[in-house]
Amino acid sequence: MRKIGILTGGGDAPGLNAVIRAAVLTAQRQYGCEVVGIRSGFDGLLKPNGLVELSPAVVEDIHDKGGTILGAANRGNPFARMVMRDGEEVVEDASQEVVARIAELGLEALIVAGGDGTLAIARDLAQMGVRVVGVPKTIDNDVGGTEMTFGFDTALNIAVEAIDRLHTTAESHQRVMLLEVMGRDAGFIGLHAGLSAGADIILIPEIPFSYQLIADEIRSRLERGYPEGLVVVSEGARPLDGEQVFSRAADGLALPRLGGIAQQAAAWLEQECRVETRTTVLGHIQRGGTPTAFDRWLATRYGAAAVRLAASGSFGRMVSYQGGRITDVPLEEALAHPKRVDLQGDAVQTARDIGICLGD
Ligand code: F6P
């Protein structure tokens, strides 16, 4: 193996730089292999100045930095690429161009760090003959075929700190505080953070909630002498017989933007329970900044494992974390079923055991 490429697609996640560093060091030290960094996801293969040589010196000490030195692109799908034709924006399939560019560059493997959208592109390119290895990335932890994606632990820790901080001000002012966290259609951030920080109510996408029930819960707390409350709301949560709340519609290239459910729940609780509420939307604070030790540890192991996998000639696969060990699974299998909170699992059971209301 003499030359491989690496790119980071979709939204960023803490730990991306640790993956890049480990991949470059492993490739160089173990295989004497050159690594080409592709900027802005797959777009870097189609644009001028889209490539950067990644030597060990370039990646020195980047493991503790958030973001990605290669840049991310959550609209960079080569199968549906926005281009200008005769002064008009049109969507075109540029996948053949990408395949040809990879061959022209002499890349013997392409390491793709991304969430389910980016990994689906990698799988489709693999079907066109590109030798890809996937690395599961996302704060949402919703990629199938692995117990953990890197980025999740950092987002979780930030959410826990936010709830802890809301707790003290909720007590001082006797308010019900709602925190909206990310996660798209998966409730891992909401459930894990709410459990860890002692929320009173946790609303996740996997469990449609009853407005009546959450009002009953707050009223019961008031009757028991607890005038404050902490409610963690996943951005993808939805009421029974209701829909998810979006702050922006899809536009053909990008997914619709979730946001606003916590504010709606807050308005309902104020009106029904006569309590004062405040809503915090944690947003991209969950994605930025220094990765936790766990995310660096996981991302570094993923980066090295991805290069080993490429060197062994195992393509169309994704590195994966199972039972504390790094292994790998076919991309097809990882993408077959997005991961969701297991309603029969011990985390949901524990929440119920200790009296957290899940809205059902
Ligand atoms: O998938 C990661 C994620 O952070 C989701 O939790 C969130 O819904 C989305 O990306 C936000 O995307 P953007 O950065 O495009 O606003």
Side-chain angles (χ1 to χ4, degrees):
M1 202 168 66
R2 281 149 305 169
K3 194 178 182 189
I4 62 174
I6 185 166
L7 65 82
T8 58
D12 65 356
L16 277 168
N17 286 327
V19 171
I20 296 168
R21 172 176 171 268
V24 170
L25 295 180
T26 304
Q28 228 280 324
R29 289 174 53 84
Q30 300 288 32
Y31 305 99
C33 171
E34 183 189 336
V35 183
V36 176
I38 298 157
R39 295 187 202 272
S40 309
F42 293 96
D43 273 0
L45 290 165
L46 299 169
K47 285 185 173 166
N49 307 318
L51 306 175
V52 54
E53 196 184 316
L54 294 176
S55 65
V58 172
V59 299
E60 189 167 311
D61 294 341
I62 62 167
H63 53 286
D64 59 350
K65 299 197 172 49
T68 158
I69 60 163
L70 293 176
N74 50 4
R75 285 164 180 257
N77 181 355
F79 291 90
R81 190 159 188 266
M82 184 80 85
V83 285
M84 292 301 281
R85 293 275 176 254
D86 303 325
E88 277 194 24
E89 283 188 332
V90 290
V91 176
E92 276 185 9
D93 181 353
S95 56
Q96 292 290 355
E97 239 181 288
V98 163
V99 175
R101 181 80 171 123
I102 290 168
E104 183 199 349
L105 290 167
L107 301 181
E108 291 163 73
L110 181 64
I111 295 176
V112 176
D116 49 6
T118 303
L119 293 173
I121 297 169
R123 175 204 55 202
D124 295 347
L125 288 174
Q127 281 161 4
M128 295 169 74
V130 179
R131 292 147 58 112
V132 300
V133 172
V135 181
K137 164 238 70 166
T138 168
I139 64 165
D140 305 339
N141 200 28
D142 62 351
V143 176
T146 182
E147 287 167 16
M148 290 288 276
T149 58
F150 69 89
F152 170 65
D153 187 65
T154 306
L156 171 61
N157 276 277
I158 290 173
V160 167
E161 187 187 341
I163 303 167
D164 287 347
R165 287 176 184 276
L166 289 172
H167 202 163
T168 57
T169 173
E171 279 176 345
S172 309
H173 288 270
Q174 309 197 331
R175 286 171 174 160
V176 174
M177 293 292 196
L178 294 93
L179 178 71
E180 184 170 299
V181 295
M182 283 185 166
R184 229 186 277 272
D185 296 320
F188 294 105
I189 300 177
L191 180 62
H192 290 221
L195 258 182
S196 308
D200 305 304
I201 300 177
I202 304 173
L203 306 178
I204 59 173
E206 293 86 345
I207 305 179
F209 68 91
S210 149
Y211 267 121
Q212 210 53 59
L213 241 155
I214 62 170
D216 289 349
E217 177 66 21
I218 295 296
R219 272 192 293 263
S220 136
R221 284 184 60 76
L222 292 170
E223 281 162 22
R224 284 179 283 132
Y226 297 104
E228 82 291 340
L230 284 170
V231 185
V232 177
V233 188
S234 295
E235 62 180 2
R238 66 179 171 87
L240 281 165
D241 305 323
E243 299 298 326
Q244 288 180 317
V245 180
F246 295 96
S247 63
R248 190 176 182 280
D251 66 5
L253 288 186
L255 294 169
R257 201 176 295 159
L258 285 160
I261 183 66
Q263 190 56 54
Q264 288 195 5
W268 162 260
L269 292 176
E270 277 209 5
Q271 176 201 309
E272 283 294 303
C273 309
R274 304 265 162 239
V275 285
E276 223 188 303
T277 65
R278 292 289 188 276
T279 304
T280 303
V281 178
L282 200 49
H284 292 79
I285 289 170
Q286 290 157 101
R287 284 220 321 240
T290 310
T292 57
F294 181 85
D295 272 339
R296 295 183 205 189
W297 179 79
L298 183 61
T300 300
R301 292 168 78 197
Y302 273 163
V307 173
R308 291 197 299 268
L309 204 55
S312 72
S314 305
F315 297 110
R317 300 183 73 81
M318 180 189 87
V319 294
S320 144
Y321 178 81
Q322 286 173 36
R325 302 181 58 186
I326 304 294
T327 173
D328 53 271
V329 294
L331 270 169
E332 198 66 67
E333 186 185 311
L335 293 165
H337 305 288
K339 198 168 67 189
R340 297 289 180 260
V341 168
D342 177 3
L343 299 186
Q344 266 66 55
D346 83 283
V348 167
Q349 186 56 51
T350 303
R352 298 195 193 284
D353 287 347
I354 66 173
I356 296 175
C357 168
L358 298 177
D360 63 339

